[in-house]
Amino acid sequence: MNVLNLRVPVQVKIILTEDTKAQITGEINQAIQGIQRELDQIDFQSRKALQDAEKNGPQAMNAVQGRINQEVGMRMERREQMMQQLVQIQQSPIGSEIPGGQIDTNVEVRVGDVWEDVIHGTEIVLRDGMVVEIRRAGDHA
C-alpha cells in the first residue's frame, strides 16, 4: 500500500475587516444576551425549587441550592469568556488574522511524506467569507 487517506484538522483563520468585526461582535453580544436570559430563567425557577425543597428540610434545601449555584456558575463562566472574546475582538486591528475554528479534511499520505506537514500542514484564510489563501506547510507565501 503506497497511499493512505487520513482525516486531519485544518485551521481556519479570518482576516478581520470592518464587516467581520461587526458580525463577530454582534454574534458575541447575542450569545451574552442569551446567557443572561438563561440566568434570569434559573433565578425564576430556583425560587420555586427552593420553596419546594424547604418543605423537605435543610438537606433538600442544600442540595437544590448546590445545583442552582453550579448552573449559575457555569453560565457566569461562559458569559465571562464571551466578554473576554468581545474585548479581544474589539481591540484587534483591522487586517489582523484571528482564529476562525477548525475543520477536518481528507489527505493522502505517501511513503516519504513529512509527518508534521501532513498533520499540521494546512490553513485556510478567509476575508469576508471568501477563501483568499490556502497555506500548506513548506509553502512560503
Side-chain angles (χ1 to χ4, degrees), residues 116-127:
E116 285 299 312
D117 292 350
V118 171
I119 296 300
H120 302 291
T122 305
E123 290 180 339
I124 296 174
V125 182
L126 306 175
R127 176 179 294 157

Side-chain angles (χ1 to χ4, degrees), residues 4-55:
L4 183 64
N5 285 310
L6 298 176
R7 288 189 68 72
V8 296
V10 174
Q11 298 302 314
V12 177
K13 302 259 179 115
I14 298 171
I15 297 174
L16 203 56
T17 64
E18 291 289 347
D19 288 344
T20 54
K21 193 172 195 174
Q23 177 189 352
I24 293 169
T25 300
E27 289 170 359
I28 293 172
N29 278 323
Q30 284 181 341
I32 291 170
Q33 289 172 2
I35 292 169
Q36 186 58 52
R37 284 191 297 276
E38 290 176 21
L39 286 167
D40 293 343
Q41 185 67 28
I42 290 169
D43 182 53
F44 176 76
Q45 291 174 344
S46 67
R47 289 187 220 141
K48 172 85 169 101
L50 286 170
Q51 284 176 350
D52 291 346
E54 189 175 22
K55 299 171 190 168

Side-chain angles (χ1 to χ4, degrees), residues 35 38 73-82:
I35 292 169
E38 290 176 21
M74 287 183 346
R75 278 152 183 94
M76 296 289 281
E77 187 176 322
R78 264 195 7 233
R79 186 174 70 177
E80 182 61 31
Q81 289 170 350
M82 291 286 177

Side-chain angles (χ1 to χ4, degrees), residues 76-124:
M76 296 289 281
E77 187 176 322
R78 264 195 7 233
R79 186 174 70 177
E80 182 61 31
Q81 289 170 350
M82 291 286 177
M83 292 173 88
Q84 288 174 4
Q85 286 178 356
L86 185 61
V87 168
Q88 190 174 20
I89 290 296
Q90 289 171 338
Q91 292 177 347
S92 295
I94 299 301
S96 61
E97 288 185 9
I98 60 170
Q102 178 176 295
I103 61 169
D104 288 335
T105 189
N106 292 320
V107 296
E108 288 185 348
V109 180
R110 293 181 171 81
V111 173
D113 285 348
V114 177
W115 183 247
E116 285 299 312
D117 292 350
V118 171
I119 296 300
H120 302 291
T122 305
E123 290 180 339
I124 296 174

